[in-house]
């Protein structure tokens, strides 16, 4: 997977996030967290999303937080 193929967690829809292995069923929670707390600045913040702590380590290679 190239950098171009990464999904920005700050702009992705819940459906797009659900399509990432390891995040299935958590897209809604990720979007809700982002709407309540603002942009993700680091992928490690995904561990703060309810139900995701330690579950998305393998998914991080296909994710990005964009360019700020």
């Amino acid at each position: 997977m190239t950098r171009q193929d990464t999904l920005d967690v700050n702009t992705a829809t819940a459906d797009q996030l659900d399509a990432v292995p390891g995040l299935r069923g958590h897209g809604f929670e990720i979007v809700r967290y982002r709407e309540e707390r603002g942009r993700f600045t680091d992928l490690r913040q995904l561990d703060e999303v309810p139900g995701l702590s330690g579950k998305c380590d393998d998914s991080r290679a296909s994710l990005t937080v964009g360019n700020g």
Side-chain angles (χ1 to χ4, degrees):
M1 178 171 276
T2 67
R3 187 76 177 159
Q4 294 173 342
D5 295 331
T6 59
L7 184 63
D8 187 339
V9 296
N10 288 310
T11 59
T13 66
D15 288 338
Q16 289 171 318
L17 291 163
D18 280 339
V20 175
L23 299 183
R24 185 170 312 249
H26 295 285
F28 173 80
E29 289 293 336
I30 294 169
V31 170
R32 184 169 72 176
Y33 181 94
R34 181 179 74 205
E35 289 173 349
E36 290 176 356
R37 300 193 184 193
R39 291 181 54 84
F40 288 92
T41 57
D42 191 295
L43 290 176
R44 288 177 287 187
Q45 289 175 289
L46 288 171
D47 285 336
E48 299 172 15
V49 176
L52 267 187
S53 183
K55 294 182 180 176
C56 60
D57 292 343
D58 294 340
S59 303
R60 290 191 179 138
S62 43
L63 301 171
T64 184
V65 292
N67 294 326

